[in-house]
Amino acid sequence: LHAPHGADLHALGPLVPKLLSYLLSFVYLGIYWNNHHHMLHATRHITGGIMWANLHLLFWLSLVPFMTGWVGEHPTSPGPTALYGVVFVFAAIAYTILQNLIIKADGGRESILARAVEHDWKGKLSIVLYLAGIATAFLRPWLGQAFYVIVAIVWLVPDRRIERRLAQNS
């Protein structure tokens, strides 16, 4: 984000798409941050594979600022809108891989994390909505962006499953 060239509130008008893409990306990163924190808090064993899977997730999330800027500059263009979704699909897949490796290292289906996320409908729904956003971005970019907003709304309600499982095991 760059400061507007003018000094009045009207100078903010052209920055609205950038501000909105920044806001959505900030919400996404906050969601990942919080869920990642809870997931690692429930983790008892860290393996080399888990470290690499964590780095894999970090790679996809490191692309978010670039994509945020591109979508903010071209909010009505299908390419940036679709690729924004692609980054989040791969981040969601990377998160799932990390989660599964942690579950495997911590004892499989009996681990705290496995019992907390056994019916991960939010994770599965998110990937479906991202894919819908990518597909519709080529027809109507605003519709693709709406799918991404829906995913954020779904995750804005904090996921307390891991907290509850940790409390039960204390």
Side-chain angles (χ1 to χ4, degrees):
L1 293 174
H2 297 284
H5 295 292
D8 60 355
L9 290 178
H10 295 295
L12 290 173
L15 295 179
V16 168
K18 290 180 184 178
L19 289 169
L20 291 175
S21 67
Y22 180 86
L23 175 64
L24 181 60
S25 294
F26 184 83
V27 167
Y28 268 121
L29 292 176
I31 290 165
Y32 270 101
W33 179 290
N34 288 327
N35 287 315
H36 184 266
H37 171 80
H38 282 112
M39 181 168 58
L40 290 183
H41 191 69
T43 302
R44 294 184 312 217
H45 299 92
I46 300 292
T47 65
I50 289 170
M51 300 274 291
W52 280 108
N54 197 50
L55 192 59
H56 179 226
L57 172 61
L58 181 59
F59 169 76
W60 291 106
L61 294 178
S62 75
L63 294 175
V64 171
F66 170 76
M67 294 308 305
T68 300
W70 198 25
V71 169
E73 285 285 328
H74 306 283
T76 60
S77 298
T81 299
L83 285 178
Y84 185 81
V86 167
V87 166
F88 280 110
V89 163
F90 281 108
I93 291 168
Y95 187 91
T96 302
I97 291 168
L98 176 59
Q99 180 176 276
N100 290 338
L101 287 174
I102 290 171
I103 288 169
K104 182 179 176 187
D106 279 355
R109 291 189 298 173
E110 296 306 313
S111 70
I112 293 169
L113 185 59
R115 287 184 283 140
V117 300
E118 64 185 337
H119 302 295
D120 187 22
W121 68 269
K122 280 184 173 185
K124 293 172 184 139
L125 176 64
S126 298
I127 292 173
V128 169
L129 292 173
Y130 287 137
L131 293 173
I134 293 164
T136 59
F138 294 104
L139 304 171
R140 299 274 188 265
W142 66 267
L143 186 57
Q145 294 161 8
F147 278 108
Y148 307 150
V149 170
I150 291 168
V151 174
I153 291 169
V154 165
W155 283 98
L156 270 179
V157 175
D159 192 346
R160 304 269 190 242
R161 296 175 298 172
I162 295 173
E163 286 180 29
R164 283 193 299 269
R165 285 292 177 183
L166 287 170
Q168 289 173 353
N169 286 2
S170 299

